[in-house]
Amino acid sequence: MGEANTSSIEDDLLLKNFYAEVSEVERDNEVIRILSCFKLNAFEYLNLPFDSPPEDVKKQYRKLSLLVHPDKCKHPKAKEAFGALAKAQQLLLDPQEREYLVNQVNAAREELRAKRKKQLKKDTASKLKSLVDEGKYEQEYEKSDEFQHQLKLKVREILTDQEWRRRKMQMRISEEEGRLKKDEEESKEMWKRKREHEEQWEGTRENRVSSWRDFMKGGKKVKKGELRPPKLKTEDPNKSYVQRPVKRG
């Protein structure tokens, strides 16, 4: 255990000494490379193959981060490049994020294989060679710079498409949330106005009751200029009434 720690410390010192001798031009070039990477592909930032394990991710991050560290590199965007490397390492060490990215790489690889298969059907010589060596011909091809470059471009294409779909979905969700929020606010405003109206109506209750009582006590008031019908007199049984003669024409 002690020997392993000693070896690790020595490796660290060698690495630091090596980067101490790296020229500013090399540091600046690395900053430029990092900042020109495809933003959705963390493997590109760390300049690693798509099948790199987490251990290689950590080693490569440490190596590149020392190269572009703002305290060592004078490039004005060294801090930005350093941050991009840190984010790339974080994504590739996150099981969920890594699985998503690897799935897109596998999808890109399958698309290229299907395309390659169609091409081989037209090329009889290549097809025969592929059949004879039981797939080794294709395995070697997939290790070639040509295939790796095509894979890199295809991964970019798929990741871009996925990101666009994600943003569109997020826009729709945001719009729906906005609509629901607006409906909620309008509903609250409607109930608020209704409560205010009910409170105002309740507040005038005493006045309305008093007015009704006054009306019932005093009867209906006659408007000025309006003729009131004569009151009917009731007969008094204690008084004698004389009937007026009826005039005849």
Side-chain angles (χ1 to χ4, degrees), residues 101-114:
L101 188 53
V102 170
N103 285 341
Q104 308 315 309
V105 173
N106 290 336
R109 186 178 283 110
E110 289 302 318
E111 280 194 38
L112 292 178
R113 283 173 178 170

Side-chain angles (χ1 to χ4, degrees), residues 69-82:
H69 196 286
D71 293 342
K72 304 290 183 180
C73 181
K74 296 180 181 179
H75 194 284
K77 292 190 175 182
K79 186 176 181 180
E80 185 179 345
F82 184 79

